[in-house]
Amino acid sequence: MSGDATGPPARWDSRGEFRRVDRVTGPTGFLSRPDGHVGLRQAPPTAPDLATHLGGVLRI
């Protein structure tokens, strides 16, 4: 897990296990819910699509 003051924490699949199990074939972003379930999967990940998703979920 990594992150800095400018962004959220990120998890890197350095051994490729998550990629293999979830059949990820290219740049893909996952948003994890607080309960640990996947709340969003985007391929490729884009900031506008993430903002739209969160706006709908959080009603902002």
Side-chain angles (χ1 to χ4, degrees):
M1 181 146 77
S2 67
D4 59 24
T6 63
R11 296 186 188 271
W12 300 101
D13 185 23
S14 61
R15 295 189 300 190
E17 296 171 0
F18 193 79
R19 177 176 290 271
R20 181 181 47 76
V21 170
D22 286 303
R23 298 181 183 147
V24 175
T25 59
T28 305
F30 291 86
L31 180 65
S32 298
R33 300 182 334 196
D35 62 5
H37 291 274
V38 173
L40 174 69
R41 175 181 172 157
Q42 279 188 322
T46 66
D49 288 342
L50 176 59
T52 299
H53 173 76
L54 290 175
V57 171
L58 302 174
R59 293 177 177 82
I60 55 174

